[in-house]
Amino acid sequence: AGDSFFRFGVVLHSHSAVANMLYALYNQVVKGDYYVADRYYRRALNRDRDNDAVQQNFNDFLENRMPGGIYEDEGPSKFVIMRSDRIKKEHSKDKTRDSVPDEWVEYEDPMAPKPDKRRFWYNTRTKQYRYARPRIQDITEYDAMKQELNEMLAKREEHRKAKAQAETFEKLLASGVAESTDVLPGLQ
């Protein structure tokens, strides 16, 4: 219902900076859709560049997208990505726990508001961006957890199949088709 309410405000008042800002705020705070929020903040600014409320909310939003902000895990916005340059670096053949995994590429935003917040990382395999420097240790820990989860799921599937076989055998016993001395197929 909230989405409809704020979206309808933009439909009715598409040239209103405030309507666009409110829809941006809704997407930012309630839905957590930062890409849509970014787009509607920019629309609001295009409608009225002198609106203090729009400027303040958008600046707060952008500041919180940076490292140390509450939305930093989402990585940089699409606009930051488009204006950034890839930093050419050769990956080291000597891998340590703190090395950067090969699938991560570093970028630099020349227009970042603070020099210490210019760099971010892109994963060529997952297509994700992030500010935190990736490390091999992070990836190997993730892979170990993923493998453990896959093993648990495989055991669960084996258990489910064995239970289904047992239930089928019980039905056969109840109907008189099988005898208690019979062996379940696959358990011989």
Side-chain angles (χ1 to χ4, degrees), residues 31-156:
K31 289 179 69 180
D33 191 339
Y34 307 117
Y35 292 110
V36 172
D38 192 280
R39 189 169 66 232
Y40 278 90
Y41 275 127
R42 291 176 190 279
R43 285 184 183 180
L45 281 173
N46 285 335
R47 304 301 190 258
D48 184 0
R49 290 214 173 270
D50 298 324
N51 186 312
D52 291 336
V54 173
Q55 288 178 358
Q56 182 62 45
N57 279 296
F58 186 51
N59 288 335
D60 288 345
F61 174 71
L62 291 178
E63 183 67 29
N64 281 304
R65 293 281 310 254
M66 303 296 268
I70 57 177
Y71 310 124
E72 81 171 299
D73 290 342
E74 296 299 316
S77 72
K78 289 179 183 179
F79 298 96
V80 170
I81 293 165
M82 289 188 309
R83 72 180 184 218
S84 297
D85 301 314
R86 181 176 176 172
I87 298 173
K88 302 275 187 207
K89 284 191 178 178
E90 294 297 320
H91 287 284
S92 171
K93 293 186 186 334
D94 299 326
K95 299 293 183 195
T96 66
R97 291 166 51 109
D98 287 328
S99 298
V100 174
D102 292 338
E103 66 266 18
W104 288 93
V105 180
E106 191 173 13
Y107 279 78
E108 184 173 36
D109 175 12
M111 298 173 64
K114 297 180 182 176
D116 62 328
K117 298 181 179 186
R118 285 190 172 153
R119 294 190 176 199
F120 59 91
W121 297 86
Y122 171 68
N123 187 310
T124 57
R125 187 170 44 98
T126 64
K127 311 292 187 230
Q128 292 178 316
Y129 290 89
R130 70 188 236 184
Y131 283 108
R133 181 181 180 274
R135 302 176 313 157
I136 284 186
Q137 178 182 359
D138 300 336
I139 304 305
T140 54
E141 287 172 0
Y142 169 78
D143 289 341
M145 288 176 15
K146 186 175 173 183
Q147 181 178 354
E148 184 179 336
L149 177 63
N150 286 335
E151 289 171 2
M152 287 172 38
L153 290 173
K155 285 180 184 177
R156 184 176 177 189

